[in-house]
């Protein structure tokens, strides 16, 4: 026979941490844009139809109850407000596939195209890391997420785009390769030292 003088067991309604957030995270992408690398996270509650999109940890879209489990969510990424979409497709039964599109192209195609239209360098100055990106079509220069003030100059063998990082003189030299396939070669020079380019 149960003793009535014992305290009733305490029922805890919810765990102290959210299990829901951990189980609904279905996809994470890192997207390199001119202003930096952005992390896109997607939560999809396949029972509730919940959809949540985070860009760099900040919630961009939240839809709690969606009867349609497939579809598309569109949002913007980065300083240039690049258009991005997550496509949700049913593969079989309760399995789903999530694909990210940037500017209307699959992430893979976008990154392949980007490697043709941009150059990226990473350098270490005064104890800090800097990521410098040149957009070849506009000749815009970005450094750690900020568009730089630049000055263009014609030189004997090409052009130089000058800018500063702190008190360091920097310029990107554009020289014709002499080969049609390679086109123009861009080189970053900081304090008269050439910085190697990194593939993205």
């Amino acid at each position: 026979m149960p003793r009535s003088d014992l305290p009733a067991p305490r029922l805890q309604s919810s765990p102290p941490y959210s299990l829901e957030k951990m189980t609904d995270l279905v996809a994470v992408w890192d997207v390199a844009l001119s202003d930096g690398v952005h992390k896109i996270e997607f939560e999809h509650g396949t029972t509730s139809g919940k959809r949540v999109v985070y860009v760099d940890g900040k919630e961009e879209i939240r839809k709690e109850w969606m009867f349609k489990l497939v579809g598309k969510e569109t949002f913007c990424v980065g300083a240039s407000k690049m258009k991005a979409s997550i496509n949700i497709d049913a593969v079989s039964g309760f399995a789903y596939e999530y694909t990210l599109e940037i500017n209307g192209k699959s992430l893979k195609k976008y990154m392949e195209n980007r490697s043709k239209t941009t150059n990226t360098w990473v350098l270490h100055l005064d104890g800090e890391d800097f990521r410098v990106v040149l957009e070849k079509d506009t000749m815009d220069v970005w450094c750690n997420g900020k568009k730089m003030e630049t000055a263009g100059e014609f030189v004997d063998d090409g052009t130089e785009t000058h800018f500063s990082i702190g008190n360091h003189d920097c310029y990107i030299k554009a020289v014709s390769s002499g080969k049609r396939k390679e086109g123009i070669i861009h080189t970053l020079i900081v304090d008269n030292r050439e910085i190697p380019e990194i593939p993205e």
Side-chain angles (χ1 to χ4, degrees), residues 18-25 41 43 50 54:
S18 171
L19 277 174
E20 187 184 312
K21 182 172 177 19
M22 293 161 67
T23 54
D24 286 346
L25 187 66
E41 295 169 289
E43 288 182 22
K50 178 182 85 170
Y54 297 94

Side-chain angles (χ1 to χ4, degrees), residues 123-164:
L123 59 150
H124 195 74
L125 290 174
D126 308 327
E128 258 188 276
D129 285 327
F130 293 93
R131 180 176 177 270
V132 175
V133 178
L134 167 70
E135 292 182 349
K136 294 185 218 177
D137 51 351
T138 58
M139 290 308 284
D140 286 340
V141 177
W142 293 75
C143 180
N144 285 7
K146 291 188 182 71
K147 200 161 153 187
M148 304 300 282
E149 288 286 323
T150 60
E153 187 182 314
F154 288 99
V155 291
D156 289 344
D157 52 354
T159 62
E160 292 177 358
T161 304
H162 290 261
F163 60 100
S164 317

Side-chain angles (χ1 to χ4, degrees), residues 27-33 36-41 56 77 100 102 107 110-111:
V28 178
W29 297 275
D30 286 321
V31 181
L33 300 179
V37 179
H38 298 279
K39 185 179 208 150
I40 296 172
E41 295 169 289
D56 300 326
V77 181
L100 178 67
I102 303 290
L107 183 60
Y110 174 78
M111 294 317 283

Side-chain angles (χ1 to χ4, degrees), residues 53-125:
V53 176
Y54 297 94
V55 178
D56 300 326
K58 190 174 150 279
E59 194 175 291
E60 288 294 316
I61 295 173
R62 174 176 287 273
K63 293 182 178 165
E64 284 301 341
W65 291 97
M66 300 282 290
F67 292 107
K68 201 170 168 209
L69 290 174
V70 294
K72 185 184 229 177
E73 292 300 334
T74 301
F75 52 98
C76 293
V77 181
S80 56
K81 298 277 181 230
M82 186 74 70
K83 188 177 158 209
S85 305
I86 295 172
N87 294 308
I88 308 154
D89 297 298
V91 184
S92 64
F94 289 103
Y96 296 89
E97 186 178 73
Y98 308 96
T99 49
L100 178 67
E101 286 181 359
I102 303 290
N103 227 9
K105 295 182 180 80
S106 72
L107 183 60
K108 186 175 184 285
K109 276 262 183 294
Y110 174 78
M111 294 317 283
E112 282 168 6
N113 186 51
R114 191 175 158 70
S115 66
K116 293 178 195 139
T117 60
T118 61
N119 291 76
T120 303
W121 297 270
V122 171
L123 59 150
H124 195 74
L125 290 174

